[in-house]
Coordinates of all heavy atoms in Angstrom, one line a residue:
M349 N 39.3 -26.2 -58.4 CA 40.7 -26.1 -58.8 C 40.8 -24.9 -59.8 O 40.2 -25.0 -60.8 CB 41.2 -27.4 -59.3 CG 41.1 -28.6 -58.4 SD 41.9 -30.1 -59.1 CE 40.9 -30.3 -60.5
K350 N 41.6 -24.0 -59.5 CA 41.8 -22.8 -60.4 C 43.3 -22.7 -60.7 O 44.2 -23.3 -60.1 CB 41.2 -21.6 -59.8 CG 39.7 -21.6 -59.4 CD 39.3 -20.3 -58.7 CE 37.9 -20.4 -58.5 NZ 37.3 -19.1 -57.9
S351 N 43.5 -21.9 -61.7 CA 45.0 -21.6 -62.2 C 45.8 -22.9 -62.1 O 47.0 -23.0 -61.6 CB 45.6 -20.7 -61.1 OG 44.9 -19.4 -61.0
L352 N 45.2 -23.9 -62.9 CA 45.8 -25.2 -62.9 C 47.0 -25.1 -63.7 O 47.3 -24.4 -64.6 CB 44.8 -26.2 -63.7 CG 43.7 -26.7 -62.7 CD1 42.5 -27.2 -63.4 CD2 44.4 -27.7 -61.8
K353 N 48.0 -26.0 -63.3 CA 49.3 -26.1 -63.8 C 49.5 -27.5 -64.4 O 48.9 -28.5 -63.9 CB 50.3 -25.7 -62.8 CG 50.2 -24.5 -62.2 CD 51.1 -24.3 -61.0 CE 51.0 -23.0 -60.3 NZ 52.0 -22.8 -59.2
P354 N 50.5 -27.7 -65.4 CA 50.7 -29.1 -65.9 C 51.1 -30.0 -64.7 O 50.8 -31.2 -64.8 CB 51.8 -28.8 -66.9 CG 51.6 -27.6 -67.4 CD 51.2 -26.7 -66.1
E355 N 51.9 -29.6 -63.7 CA 52.2 -30.3 -62.6 C 51.1 -30.8 -61.7 O 51.2 -31.6 -60.8 CB 53.3 -29.7 -61.7 CG 52.9 -28.3 -61.3 CD 53.5 -27.2 -62.2 OE1 53.4 -27.3 -63.5 OE2 54.0 -26.2 -61.6
D356 N 49.8 -30.4 -62.0 CA 48.7 -30.7 -61.2 C 48.1 -32.0 -61.9 O 47.1 -32.6 -61.4 CB 47.6 -29.7 -61.2 CG 48.0 -28.4 -60.4 OD1 48.6 -28.6 -59.2 OD2 47.7 -27.3 -60.9
T357 N 48.6 -32.4 -63.0 CA 48.2 -33.5 -63.8 C 48.3 -34.8 -63.0 O 49.4 -35.1 -62.4 CB 49.0 -33.8 -65.1 OG1 48.6 -32.6 -65.9 CG2 48.5 -35.0 -65.8
A358 N 47.3 -35.6 -62.8 CA 47.3 -36.7 -61.9 C 46.0 -37.4 -61.9 O 45.0 -36.8 -62.4 CB 47.7 -36.5 -60.5
V359 N 45.9 -38.6 -61.3 CA 44.5 -39.2 -60.9 C 44.3 -38.7 -59.5 O 45.1 -38.6 -58.7 CB 44.6 -40.7 -60.9 CG1 43.2 -41.3 -60.6 CG2 45.0 -41.1 -62.3
Y360 N 43.0 -38.1 -59.3 CA 42.7 -37.5 -58.1 C 41.7 -38.5 -57.4 O 40.7 -39.0 -57.9 CB 42.0 -36.2 -58.3 CG 43.0 -35.1 -58.6 CD1 43.7 -35.0 -59.7 CD2 43.3 -34.1 -57.6 CE1 44.6 -34.1 -59.9 CE2 44.1 -33.1 -57.8 CZ 44.9 -33.0 -59.0 OH 45.8 -32.0 -59.2
Y361 N 41.9 -38.8 -56.2 CA 41.2 -39.7 -55.4 C 40.6 -39.1 -54.2 O 41.1 -38.2 -53.5 CB 42.1 -40.9 -54.8 CG 42.8 -41.7 -55.8 CD1 44.0 -41.4 -56.4 CD2 42.2 -42.9 -56.4 CE1 44.6 -42.1 -57.4 CE2 42.8 -43.7 -57.2 CZ 44.0 -43.3 -57.7 OH 44.6 -44.0 -58.7
C362 N 39.4 -39.4 -54.0 CA 38.6 -39.1 -52.8 C 38.8 -40.1 -51.7 O 38.9 -41.2 -52.0 CB 37.1 -39.0 -53.2 SG 35.9 -38.7 -51.8
A363 N 38.9 -39.5 -50.4 CA 39.2 -40.5 -49.4 C 38.3 -40.0 -48.1 O 38.0 -38.8 -48.0 CB 40.7 -40.5 -49.0
A364 N 38.1 -41.0 -47.2 CA 37.4 -40.5 -46.0 C 37.9 -41.5 -44.8 O 38.4 -42.6 -45.0 CB 35.9 -40.9 -46.2
G365 N 37.9 -40.9 -43.6 CA 38.3 -41.5 -42.4 C 38.0 -40.8 -41.1 O 37.6 -39.6 -41.2
P366 N 38.1 -41.4 -40.0 CA 37.8 -40.8 -38.7 C 38.6 -39.5 -38.7 O 39.8 -39.6 -38.8 CB 38.1 -41.8 -37.7 CG 38.0 -43.1 -38.5 CD 38.5 -42.9 -40.0
E367 N 38.0 -38.4 -38.3 CA 38.7 -37.1 -38.3 C 39.9 -37.1 -37.3 O 41.0 -36.6 -37.5 CB 37.8 -36.0 -38.0 CG 38.5 -34.6 -38.0 CD 37.6 -33.5 -37.7 OE1 36.4 -33.6 -37.9 OE2 38.0 -32.4 -37.5
Q368 N 39.7 -37.7 -36.2 CA 40.7 -37.7 -35.1 C 41.8 -38.4 -35.6 O 43.1 -38.0 -35.5 CB 40.2 -38.4 -33.8 CG 41.1 -38.3 -32.7 CD 40.5 -38.8 -31.4 OE1 39.5 -39.5 -31.4 NE2 41.0 -38.4 -30.2
K369 N 41.8 -39.6 -36.3 CA 42.9 -40.4 -36.8 C 43.6 -39.6 -38.0 O 44.8 -39.7 -38.1 CB 42.3 -41.8 -37.3 CG 42.0 -42.7 -36.1 CD 41.7 -44.1 -36.7 CE 41.3 -45.0 -35.5 NZ 41.0 -46.4 -36.0
V370 N 42.7 -39.0 -38.8 CA 43.2 -38.4 -39.9 C 44.2 -37.1 -39.6 O 45.2 -37.1 -40.0 CB 42.1 -37.7 -40.8 CG1 42.6 -36.8 -41.8 CG2 41.4 -39.0 -41.6
V371 N 43.7 -36.4 -38.5 CA 44.5 -35.3 -38.0 C 45.8 -35.8 -37.4 O 46.9 -35.3 -37.5 CB 43.6 -34.4 -37.2 CG1 44.5 -33.3 -36.5 CG2 42.5 -33.8 -37.9
A372 N 45.6 -36.8 -36.5 CA 46.7 -37.3 -35.7 C 47.8 -37.9 -36.7 O 48.9 -38.0 -36.5 CB 46.2 -38.4 -34.8
G373 N 47.3 -38.5 -37.8 CA 48.2 -39.0 -38.9 C 48.7 -38.0 -39.9 O 49.4 -38.3 -40.8
R374 N 48.5 -36.7 -39.5 CA 48.9 -35.5 -40.3 C 48.7 -35.7 -41.8 O 49.5 -35.3 -42.6 CB 50.5 -35.4 -40.0 CG 50.8 -35.0 -38.6 CD 52.2 -34.8 -38.4 NE 52.5 -34.4 -36.9 CZ 53.7 -34.1 -36.5 NH1 54.6 -33.8 -37.3 NH2 53.8 -33.7 -35.2
F375 N 47.4 -36.2 -42.0 CA 47.0 -36.3 -43.4 C 47.6 -37.2 -44.3 O 47.7 -37.0 -45.5 CB 46.7 -34.8 -43.9 CG 46.0 -33.9 -43.2 CD1 46.7 -32.9 -42.4 CD2 44.7 -34.0 -43.0 CE1 46.0 -32.0 -41.5 CE2 43.9 -33.1 -42.2 CZ 44.6 -32.2 -41.5
T376 N 48.3 -38.2 -43.6 CA 48.8 -39.2 -44.5 C 47.8 -40.2 -45.0 O 46.7 -40.1 -44.6 CB 49.9 -40.0 -43.7 OG1 49.4 -40.5 -42.5 CG2 51.2 -39.1 -43.4

């Protein structure tokens, strides 16, 4: 992450899932 802004402040979570489902779900 570069050029960070105050609005980037958050808890960041890592996630994993079957690629086909992830893409079909439009990254929800």
Side-chain angles (χ1 to χ4, degrees):
M349 305 185 292
K350 298 180 180 180
S351 303
L352 282 162
K353 305 175 181 180
E355 51 264 42
D356 294 318
T357 295
V359 178
Y360 282 69
Y361 296 92
C362 171
E367 181 175 349
Q368 190 172 16
K369 290 186 177 180
V370 165
V371 173
R374 299 187 178 185
F375 307 105
T376 54

